[in-house]
Structure formats: C-alpha cells, structure tokens
Amino acid sequence: MTVIDISPSVMQFLLAFIVVAPLLGALAALLPAPPGLRGKNPDQAVLRHGVTVTGAVLVAAIVLAVGFDHDHPATMQATTDISWIPALDVRIHLGIDGISLPLLVLTALLTFLCALYSYFKLPAGPSPKAFVALVLVLESGTLATFAVLDLLLFFLAFEMVLIPMYFLIARWGGDQRQAAAWKFILYTLLGSVVMLLGLLLIGLKSGTFDMVALATDNGRGLTTSVQVIAVLAIGLGLAVKTPMWPLHSWLPDAHTAAPTVGSVLLAGVLLKMGTYGFVRILLPVAPDGMRTFAPYLAAFAVVGIVYGSLACLALARTGAKGDLKRLIAYSSVGHMGFVLLGIATMTPTGVNGALFANIAHGLITGLLFFLVGAVKDRYGTADLDTLAGATGAALYGRAPRLGALLAFAAIASLGLPGLAGFWGEMLTLFGAYSPAEGLSRPAFRTFMAIGAFGTLLTAAYMLIVVRRVCMGEHAPHSRLSPDDRAPQPPAGPVPSGTAGPEPSGTAGTRTATTTQLADIHPYEAAAWTPLAALTVLAGLWPAVLLGLTDPAVQQLLAGGKS
C-alpha cells in the first residue's frame, strides 16, 4: 500500500536529491548571496539559506515516505545502482527499506529544526556561512549513511560527518571545546581505521561490497573465522560511534562543550549511525561472528545501562556541581545500551525494539538538549546546583511552559507507558528473555534483569532532575514585579558573536534570585513541538513504526529470505 502512487524514477530522484542536495547547499552557502536574497544583512541571508535547503530535504523525505510501498517494507525501494570504481566493483548503490526510512526522515527533521532554531539563536562563533555549510555537510553524510548499499560508500559517508562535527564543537562550542573536539575526533577516527579493515576483509573474501548481495548470502561465503575477525573489527568502530561502554568517554565532553544544535544532532542522529551499522551490516552479513560476540555485546550493553544511570545519579545529587548537559549525555550511554542489548539478542523482537528505541531516543533526547540549551541561555549556566538552589520558584513558577515541557521530556526519557521511550526498552527486554537459538538463555535473562533494574535507576535520576530544576530548592517567598523580568530576545536572527550564552556562573548567579525568566518563544515552540508531538504519536501508535521495521528485520535475519 502506498499513500500516493509515485513512479520508481521519481522515487529514485527523491532519494538522490535527499543525499546530494545538502552537499550542494553547503557549497552554495559559501558563495556570496545574490543581491535580491541578501535580506537585511549577509548573516540573515545565509541562515535563511540553511532553513530553505534543510526544509526542501525534509519535504523530499516526507514525499519519499508517502510514496514508499508499505506493503513491502522489506524490499529495497527507490534504488539507484551505478558502477563507480569497476576495478574494485564499487558501485553508487542507493536504496531504502523499512529499517532505513525512519532514520532518514528523523535526520531530515532534526536538521531542519536545528536550522530553524539557529536562524533565531545562532551560537557565538565565527562566520555564519561556515556554520550553515558545516551543518549541511553533516546532514548529507548522515543521510548518505542510511541510504547507501555499498560497504565502501558506507564507510565514506560514515567518515564524512566527523570533520563538520569536529568544527561545530571546536569553533562554536563552550568551555573546554578544543579538548572535547579533539577527543571526539581521535576516538572516532581510531575506531574507523579498524572498521575499514573489517569492511575490506568482508569485501575481499566474499568478492563483493554490495550490502544487499552480502545480506542475501547471509555469511555462507565467509568462514566462521573471517566472520569473527570482521565482527570484532567493524563492531569496534561502530561501538565507538554508538557509543558503547567503555568506549563512551568522548561523548559527555563533546555534549557538554557543543552548542545546542550540535548536541541535538550528535545525540539525535550521529549515535544512530553506529547501531544502524550493526543491524544493516553485521547481523545479516556475519551472523556466525555476531553469535560469537553477542553475549559480550549484551554484557557491555547492560553495564552501560547501569553505569550511565549511576553517573547521572551522581551528577544529580545536591552539591555535586553536575552539569545538566553532561547528565543528559550520560543518559544517552544508558539508552543506547538498550539498543545494543536488543541487537545482541539477534531476535526479531529484540532488533525491532532496538530500532524503535533508536528513533525514540532521537526524538526525546533531541528535545531534551533543545530544552537544556534554552535553560542555559536563560540562566547563563547549566550547573544543577545553581539551577536548583538559587532559582526562586524555579521553572514551574518562572517559566511554566518551559518547565512543563522539560518535565514531559524527562518523563518520556524514563520510559513512561504511552510515550515513545517505553516501547523500545520493553521490546529489547522481551528479546533478552528469549534470545536467538545458540545463545545462553540464563545469561540473557540475567542481562534482562540488569536492564530492568537500569530502568528504575533512569526513573530515579530523571525525577530528581525534574524536582530540582522545575521545582527548585529552598525557594524564597518573594513576588517579582514586571520591571524585574528578563528582556525578550529579538524576533530575528541574532548577530554572530552575541547569541551565545553568558559565561557559566554569571547570569545564573547574578540574576537568578531576582528576575523572571522568559518563557517559550514562538521560534522555540516551532522547533520543539514536532518532537513532542511525535513522541506522543510513537507512544500511542507504535504500529506505525513497527509495521515498517518488522518485515525488514524478519527478512534480514533470515538471510534475505522472507
């Protein structure tokens, strides 16, 4: 069933446009704007250009989703297959199925919302032209990762996102941005070198780099020893990007230093590239190797779940001077642990749960980073003790809509039934209860119990954050006059160099007890409402997403056979 019948050639064009348009838009952003499009100033023109390009890509992604044949989500659609390097049999092979389509739409949505947000709240840093160009290159690389069907093209797209994210952190970030950016690039590059060796091993031993042919072969052309080596090498590179404990230490630093839109894209999109690689490449191409490492992957996953939660609890306690952005970053380690646990079960239930948790994490954590960035802009700090101890009536009393939305996102993150975060975690735990044949049931049921305990820890730290930030502590009983309220930001784009938050410890300590906070602005509502609405929709109607992923997962695990 298709909502709108679109010809295959148009579908091919749409997918190619989605991948290439951001790259062309990045090049155009660096050129001088035509006289009629300059607007009030060049900064406004290039920011509007970013919104226009990402908006066009989002529209194309939505049309692609509407024209997708939902009756056959396991079939690769909108495919393009062109010979590129004949000597190595490397092809420009693009296509989407029920696994990649949701990630493609999520990437297009989050990038558009970030571009829209940046139009009004540009982070402090160098040229807006460079900022817009880097965001568009980042979008193109991420979309290509989810659309390509050739191992070497996958690697090139996978690496394409590293440089733009490095510069977004290093040039537009906050305190310690240089160290965080270097840590990010070193970890991911070292993991990628090992991953490339594994991809080359598979391609050379099987005689093809085509991911569809390799998935259909289901490892029959590779010996068990080759599969084990390939899974170890490729899995290491993917685990760094995911990130899996104990390869996660770059993530909290990167999130803490990154600008708001950088954190949103890093959590909402880039982390998904690692887990997508596990599902798209390792599960179907090297099943015997995955079966060997599945118990270890599950063990690391549940350690990450508990470790991430305990780290968040430590940051949330009174007197810890915990940074709220850092806390949300550590929560991602735990949430991505559930995704890895679902993949490690090697069952349709577990893998579907992992894919659902991927999308839910992108929506919820993307919203959380938007909200934490807004709180930091208003207070001048993300320090939890400052937010909780010197905020008067705190967010509920001073910016009630902002406080309510932050509480909603936190509750969604802890997995409340009826919201998107619930289904992914529940399905991964069900998958761990009955793992694939050949995997130890007692071991995986132990992992399930540890993961379930992690959900309790997640609820604990999220509720502590809501209580401290939204309700405050030791609130003074004082009424604020209208003259004490903070001024509203301008209604247009903020000039570069003046839009960033004040240094930590200034606004938060200078005015927190005497000023009323500005509540949600219209541009913030426009950027955040789609994420909140989709979080509710996915929670109440999970069949929309599971109906896409399940047939594709079933066929993937069966080696291309329905």
Side-chain angles (χ1 to χ4, degrees), residues 410-433:
I411 290 172
S413 184
L414 64 82
L416 184 74
L419 298 175
F422 170 74
W423 295 105
E425 295 181 1
M426 184 192 72
L427 288 173
T428 57
L429 294 178
F430 280 172
Y433 182 81

Side-chain angles (χ1 to χ4, degrees), residues 335-487:
H335 289 305
M336 298 312 290
F338 279 102
V339 178
L340 291 173
L341 177 60
I343 293 170
T345 67
M346 300 183 69
T347 62
T349 301
V351 176
N352 275 302
L355 294 171
F356 198 103
N358 247 351
I359 301 299
H361 179 264
L363 296 171
I364 297 168
T365 307
L367 178 59
L368 275 171
F369 274 116
F370 267 134
L371 293 167
V372 172
V375 170
K376 187 173 183 178
D377 288 339
R378 286 156 171 77
Y379 283 107
T381 180
D383 177 72
L384 268 170
D385 288 334
T386 302
L387 297 177
T391 56
L395 282 181
Y396 282 160
R398 307 180 65 197
R401 288 189 291 274
L402 181 61
L405 194 54
L406 180 61
F408 165 83
I411 290 172
S413 184
L414 64 82
L416 184 74
L419 298 175
F422 170 74
W423 295 105
E425 295 181 1
M426 184 192 72
L427 288 173
T428 57
L429 294 178
F430 280 172
Y433 182 81
S434 183
E437 185 179 351
L439 299 179
S440 170
R441 284 200 172 194
F444 271 83
R445 288 180 180 179
T446 302
F447 298 146
M448 182 197 72
I450 297 172
F453 176 65
T455 63
L456 300 179
L457 296 177
T458 302
Y461 71 74
M462 279 299 180
L463 292 176
I464 290 172
V465 168
V466 170
R467 178 180 61 80
R468 297 191 70 201
V469 176
C470 296
M471 301 178 186
E473 295 173 356
H474 313 296
H477 299 284
S478 61
R479 296 180 63 86
L480 303 175
S481 67
D483 294 336
D484 292 328
R485 293 175 184 169

